[in-house]
Amino acid sequence: MDVMTLPGQTLWDVAVSMKGSWEAGIDMARSAGVSMTGPQKAGAVYSVPQKTYDRTMERYALTHRLEPATAGEMSPLSIRIFTSAFSAEFS
């Protein structure tokens, strides 16, 4: 599966939103030959690994449609990517 980056997203952000783990970003960056932590061009397309890194977080991220963009401007809304449901479920 391929994914298109949004404005302000790093591969770390994409990995969390698609696979529930930043570790997927390492594999995505290696396969694309780019930096995992640097800002990516909005609209760039990357292959998402098929490997499961953290099944629980992957389901949570996909169910709640997490789309973190940590390389953009910081605002109180962009800092908090997890809802109270996450806190209750994983505390």
Side-chain angles (χ1 to χ4, degrees), residues 9-30:
Q9 281 191 320
T10 64
L11 284 180
W12 191 308
D13 297 324
V14 175
V16 168
S17 68
M18 298 300 297
K19 300 304 286 183
S21 173
W22 62 269
E23 295 165 303
I26 295 171
D27 293 335
M28 293 171 70
R30 284 183 180 155

Side-chain angles (χ1 to χ4, degrees), residues 3-6 9 11 14 16-18 22 28 31 35 37-38 40 42 44 46 59 64 66 69 71-72 76 88 91:
V3 63
M4 186 180 308
T5 57
L6 300 173
Q9 281 191 320
L11 284 180
V14 175
V16 168
S17 68
M18 298 300 297
W22 62 269
M28 293 171 70
S31 69
S35 168
T37 57
Q40 305 302 316
Y46 296 96
R59 286 182 187 153
H64 294 281
L66 297 184
S91 59

